[in-house]
Amino acid sequence: MPIQYYIILSLALFCIGIVGVLVRRNVIIVFMCVELMLNAVNLLLVAFSKMHHGIAVVNDKATTVGTDAQLFVFFIMVVAAAEVSVGLAIIVMMYRNTHSVDVNFLNRLKN
Amino acid sequence: MSATQIIFWFLSALALVSALMVLLSKNPVHSVLWLISVFFAISGHYILLNAQFLAIVNLIVYAGAIMVLFLFVIMLMNLNKDMEPQKNMWMKLAGAISGGCLLMILVSLVRQATEIGGKVAEMKTGNIGLIGNLGKVLFNEYVVPFEISSVLFLSAMVGAIVIGKKD
């Protein structure tokens, strides 16, 4: 597949995530849209790694170009898992204190 | 049109439609289920690109663990009914228009770029995504970041418990 198709697919997923962050008011949906944006970037990184590997493998059959990008995606997933656990704990704490998950209500950090 | 192309277009359409349904569905539980569908489509893309390790990790970590965590929190808060207060119409329209403008500008940039013209992401071939290769590189060159990420997990676990604890 040409790399443009993957770029445009990832851009579309990323912009859907941005629209979700801007439009929705439920803080959990906003958080899920952030996850969607992370996954769009991961897909693009994997596609680029396969593109570079495909270019390099013509000259050298045993090349490992592109392995770093896939490990980078792996570390992004690791950090995203840690981020989700802390973020959901914060959301649960705010819901317990204010009984609301509305971002327009939660935008004041004090009180 | 080969089978690979048919699977590519099917997975792309599934990912985009599911991502739109994440936004459009009123019930948060339905949003989570549509997001799981997006993750399955992206895992299918990874398999199509022969990145099998990342496909399995994506399924286990995202579709398995993180989405169950989201579902658990939504059930805990008893949010599975549509009571979300709506933003007013103009704010929604402004958000959609700004996101659409960003998408339009980025797509036009990609279409103009000459560096990526004719470049192809290889599919179904190449063995860099197999678990043997990735494991060798991970435990030789990237062993320090790997261990640091375990410290990150420990601190995230302690932080989540401390924040979530009822004081």
Side-chain angles (χ1 to χ4, degrees):
Chain A
M1 278 288 157
I3 192 70
Q4 281 101 335
Y5 292 170
Y6 278 105
I7 299 176
I8 291 175
L9 172 65
S10 300
L11 284 178
L13 285 176
F14 191 84
C15 289
I16 288 171
I18 287 178
V19 172
V21 171
L22 292 177
V23 165
R24 295 299 296 258
R25 283 178 69 175
N26 191 334
V27 68
I28 292 180
I29 308 278
V30 171
F31 204 44
M32 276 161 49
C33 289
V34 174
E35 295 300 311
L36 186 64
M37 288 194 271
L38 270 174
N39 266 278
V41 174
N42 281 350
L43 177 63
L44 193 58
L45 274 173
V46 174
F48 275 140
S49 84
K50 294 300 283 188
M51 183 188 85
H52 282 294
H53 185 259
I55 292 170
V57 83
V58 177
N59 298 320
D60 181 10
K61 285 291 178 202
T63 182
T64 57
V65 172
T67 313
D68 297 339
Q70 303 215 353
L71 282 175
F72 206 87
V73 173
F74 175 67
F75 280 112
I76 290 174
M77 286 180 184
V78 166
V79 174
E83 167 241 334
V84 164
S85 63
V86 177
L88 282 177
I90 292 174
I91 290 173
V92 169
M93 184 198 67
M94 292 179 102
Y95 181 74
R96 196 187 293 142
N97 288 339
T98 61
H99 293 283
S100 168
V101 286
D102 187 358
V103 285
N104 284 16
F105 181 71
L106 297 176
N107 60 2
R108 286 153 277 167
L109 280 179
K110 62 180 182 180
N111 302 325
Chain B
M1 192 181 245
S2 66
T4 309
Q5 283 176 315
I6 293 172
I7 297 172
F8 174 84
W9 291 115
F10 172 72
L11 288 174
S12 303
L14 179 65
L16 289 177
V17 170
S18 306
L20 279 177
M21 289 304 290
V22 172
L23 297 192
L24 297 179
S25 54
K26 299 272 179 248
N27 193 331
V29 176
H30 292 172
S31 287
V32 172
L33 296 178
W34 282 113
L35 196 61
I36 291 176
S37 163
V38 176
F39 290 154
F40 268 90
I42 289 177
S43 282
H45 273 297
Y46 289 162
I47 291 174
L48 211 58
L49 287 165
N50 215 9
Q52 300 168 4
F53 173 67
L54 286 179
I56 297 300
V57 168
N58 197 41
L59 277 188
I60 293 174
V61 173
Y62 271 108
I66 293 181
M67 286 299 116
V68 168
L69 204 60
F70 271 102
L71 269 181
F72 187 72
V73 168
I74 289 173
M75 297 293 181
L76 190 73
M77 293 180 185
N78 200 14
L79 289 181
N80 45 356
K81 50 186 181 290
D82 13 319
M83 56 166 198
E84 178 185 354
Q86 297 294 314
K87 275 189 183 173
N88 70 42
M89 208 57 210
W90 293 106
M91 290 296 288
K92 281 187 177 180
L93 198 65
I97 286 175
S98 53
C101 285
L102 181 67
L103 178 64
M104 198 174 67
I105 289 170
L106 289 175
V107 166
S108 72
L109 276 178
V110 168
R111 290 174 68 88
Q112 285 174 14
T114 54
E115 293 88 1
I116 56 171
K119 299 275 178 62
V120 170
E122 62 172 2
M123 311 181 86
K124 300 193 294 182
T125 56
N127 54 4
I128 56 166
L130 304 187
I131 189 165
N133 285 305
L134 287 178
K136 273 178 197 147
V137 179
L138 180 63
F139 289 112
N140 284 319
E141 296 174 31
Y142 291 93
V143 67
V144 177
F146 185 75
E147 297 296 334
I148 291 175
S149 70
S150 71
V151 178
L152 172 74
F153 268 121
L154 182 66
S155 61
M157 195 167 70
V158 173
I161 291 173
V162 169
I163 291 170
K165 191 163 58 86
K166 197 168 278 187
D167 44 359

